[in-house]
Amino acid sequence: MLDKGVVGALEAELEPGTVVTDHEVMESYRYDRALTIRPGRPVAVVRARSTADVQVTLRLASRFGVPVVTRGAGTGLSGGSSAIDGCITLSLERMRSISVDAAAMVATVQPGLLNVEVKAEAARFGLWYPPDPSSYEICSIGGNLATNAGGLCCVKYGVTTDYVLGLEVVLADGRLVRLGGRTVKDVAGYDLKRLFVGSEGTLGVITEATLRLRPPPATSSTVVASFGQVVDSGRAVVQIVSSLRPAVLEMMDGAAITAVERVRPMGLGPDIGALLLGQSDAGPHEVALMAQACEQSGATFVAVTDDPDEGEMLMGARRMAIPCVERLGAVLIEDVGVPIPAIPTLIAEIGAVAERRSTPIPIVGHAGDGNFHPLVIFDPADPAAAERAELAFDDIMKVALSLGGTISGEHGVGVLKADHLAAQLGEVAAELTRTIKSALDPRNILNPRKWV
Ligand SMILES: Cc1cc2nc3c(=O)[nH]c(=O)nc-3n(C[C@H](O)[C@H](O)[C@H](O)COP(=O)(O)OP(=O)(O)OC[C@H]3O[C@@H](n4cnc5c(N)ncnc54)[C@H](O)[C@@H]3O)c2cc1C
């Protein structure tokens, strides 16, 4: 049998304990956090300890023509690391080395470290690794690289790709390639490393990265503003971003706040239409201007605090929003992005979709980036509600595209949005995408779900 063949070959070449076939153990490697997606069943989970293990796995998978789903920490929200029937799930959780070169201001990391561990090790040298997805305590740096993860401070400090100087990648046939290096500037040849950042395990497996670090920012002050009308919070964002560089600018609408309040009460009333949370590390002047922009855009309450604990408490509430909303039902998690001036229109249109489809859609977002997560809630036991939710999910992506935006600002295409990528790319870019995929993975073994 083909499947037995590849498993036997893997077991013969890899150290004992690396290849897992126990069904109970494999169960925990089937899912990611896109909870509406039904994953398949792997034939084996390879828990790689080294780049050499990854090379062996891909060489054999290629030879046997078996699909490989690479897995970091499985916190993805688009189904990218959920298993495919008959696949090898390649887990990188055991590849966890890190070394910091403080003089060069770089960290060389293996993919299995959590984002929070990379930050902590950089901090030991007085340095900072900025990208901070809300899931930073539970997601891997390899997953961040593979999804080009964003986060809260990305509005000022950029996303994952902005910190990648070099990559080590294992290609589909098991060959190893090193791209980029440790230099800050490098324009020799195509920037191939950027092709792999955000490629969601479809082009190669990232086994090491050299990441740029920077000095930590000054302590932040926080502004919190509540709005009666959710669209007014969008207007405030446009005004702030057009003239200031906030370090964080996040939004939660009233329904998202209510969901968080149920889990962690903060005394925020049900009459709030939206909350804007901003931070500045550029001094009191900038925070005052952010507060002023909120007032001018119709905020009903504005407060500023220099207390870092208070600021962190508010940001913590924002980070909890998605899991808190998930307690209300099944959730299709949107991730649309639009150009900044289009934010108020996007927010208004999401409200219209919710009404038209009779479906609750709380909104949270990295507002300063124009990247929002409308959370389409439905009762999975009610087929009509599920159908309306699917339609609402599609409607929101169409709205984003009509505003010159994107179907995914940070979570990636995965399985959840695979049917929608072509609509954004257009014919020529879709053809280019297929050409690149078949050049790098001619046997189509790496996350072989059809994107375009
Ligand atoms: C509560 C919550 C909040 C979140 N907030 C944010 C946020 O603010 N910003 C954000 O961007 N995301 C956010 N996410 C989504 C998720 O945490 C990120 O996408 C993260 O980068 C995934 O990392 P992971 O290690 O869990 O990857 P996984 O889910 O294991 O994998 C993600 C994708 O990357 C591929 N992959 C993983 N590792 C490698 C590798 N080494 N080489 C090649 N391919 C690989 C997988 O095949 C898959 O396609 C959130 C998730 C949750 C649950």
Side-chain angles (χ1 to χ4, degrees):
M1 272 260 298
L2 197 63
D3 291 347
K4 270 212 170 347
V6 77
V7 174
L10 285 166
E11 283 171 337
E13 288 206 35
L14 296 169
E15 265 184 48
T18 308
V19 183
V20 176
T21 51
D22 179 283
H23 284 284
E24 252 173 61
V25 181
M26 286 203 294
E27 190 61 21
S28 60
Y29 290 88
R30 286 177 64 211
Y31 299 81
D32 67 4
R33 285 295 314 276
L35 301 176
T36 53
I37 287 166
R38 275 182 187 279
R41 291 188 182 281
V43 287
V45 174
V46 173
R47 298 167 71 201
R49 284 177 231 256
S50 64
T51 299
D53 286 356
V54 175
Q55 288 187 269
V56 167
T57 306
L58 294 198
R59 177 167 50 75
L60 292 175
S62 226
R63 186 193 301 161
F64 285 88
V66 174
V68 175
V69 175
T70 304
R71 184 180 179 87
T75 70
L77 293 170
S78 61
S81 63
S82 64
I84 296 171
D85 274 333
C87 77
I88 296 163
T89 291
L90 175 57
S91 165
L92 303 175
E93 68 199 331
R94 289 177 166 184
M95 293 180 63
R96 295 178 38 79
S97 83
I98 179 166
S99 67
V100 171
D101 180 342
M105 296 181 79
V106 299
T108 302
V109 302
Q110 284 191 319
L113 286 163
L114 301 181
N115 175 300
V116 67
E117 294 172 317
V118 175
K119 282 182 186 297
E121 187 62 10
R124 280 205 322 120
F125 293 83
L127 293 168
W128 184 42
Y129 176 67
D132 60 344
S134 299
S135 51
Y136 76 105
E137 287 166 307
I138 52 173
C139 63
S140 78
I141 196 75
N144 292 175
L145 290 158
T147 56
N148 192 11
L152 275 64
C153 75
C154 298
V155 60
K156 180 164 183 176
Y157 292 102
V159 296
T160 303
T161 192
D162 300 313
Y163 293 87
V164 181
L165 294 177
L167 285 184
E168 178 188 87
V169 178
V170 178
L171 300 176
D173 58 9
R175 281 178 302 160
L176 189 68
V177 62
R178 284 190 164 274
L179 303 165
R182 291 156 57 86
T183 53
V184 173
K185 292 174 79 182
D186 177 3
V187 296
Y190 299 137
D191 193 350
L192 292 176
K193 65 180 181 299
R194 285 203 184 226
L195 187 59
F196 288 93
V197 177
S199 66
E200 300 184 39
T202 63
L203 299 180
V205 177
I206 299 167
T207 47
E208 189 184 279
T210 304
L211 303 175
R212 196 173 184 180
L213 306 175
R214 46 173 297 150
T219 316
S220 296
S221 307
T222 302
V223 54
V224 51
S226 62
F227 297 80
Q229 302 300 319
V230 63
V231 173
D232 289 343
S233 69
R235 293 203 185 95
V237 173
V238 177
Q239 194 175 329
I240 291 169
V241 176
S242 66
S243 57
L244 303 169
R245 299 285 321 272
V248 171
L249 191 53
E250 296 287 313
M251 183 269 230
M252 284 195 278
D253 79 352
I257 295 165
T258 305
V260 174
E261 275 285 318
R262 280 194 187 152
V263 181
R264 189 201 280 181
M266 290 178 299
L268 296 169
D271 51 328
I272 296 177
L275 205 63
L276 215 53
L277 301 171
Q279 286 191 329
S280 169
D281 51 23
H285 182 60
E286 190 170 62
V287 181
L289 289 173
M290 285 161 68
Q292 196 181 63
C294 291
E295 278 158 5
Q296 287 169 355
S297 305
T300 48
F301 170 82
V302 181
V304 171
T305 175
D306 293 329
D307 179 347
D309 291 340
E310 242 176 352
E312 186 42 41
M313 191 265 289
L314 289 163
M315 293 307 158
R318 160 63 189 91
R319 288 192 200 99
M320 288 170 67
I322 292 178
C324 291
V325 170
E326 282 175 334
R327 293 176 177 217
L328 305 177
V331 179
L332 287 166
I333 301 175
E334 269 293 2
D335 176 37
V336 289
V338 292
I340 303 298
I343 291 173
T345 311
L346 175 72
I347 292 173
E349 289 289 330
I350 294 166
V353 170
E355 209 171 303
R356 190 167 67 244
R357 301 295 184 192
S358 308
T359 298
I361 311 181
I363 312 174
V364 298
H366 307 299
D369 292 323
N371 179 203
F372 289 86
H373 304 314
L375 303 167
V376 183
I377 306 176
F378 64 98
D379 174 359
D382 178 349
E387 193 182 332
R388 288 198 306 275
E390 294 269 359
L391 291 169
F393 189 70
D394 294 359
D395 287 349
I396 293 169
M397 278 185 277
K398 282 182 194 141
V399 169
L401 292 179
S402 74
L403 295 171
T406 175
I407 60 168
S408 179
E410 58 179 21
H411 296 164
V413 177
V415 179
L416 197 61
K417 299 210 159 175
D419 292 340
H420 302 273
L421 182 60
Q424 176 169 336
L425 293 185
E427 213 176 292
V428 179
E431 183 55 39
L432 266 181
T433 304
R434 285 192 287 270
T435 305
I436 291 168
K437 171 71 173 164
S438 62
L440 286 172
D441 181 17
R443 297 206 65 186
N444 192 26
I445 62 158
L446 295 175
N447 258 0
R449 303 178 239 237
K450 211 163 185 304
W451 268 7
V452 285

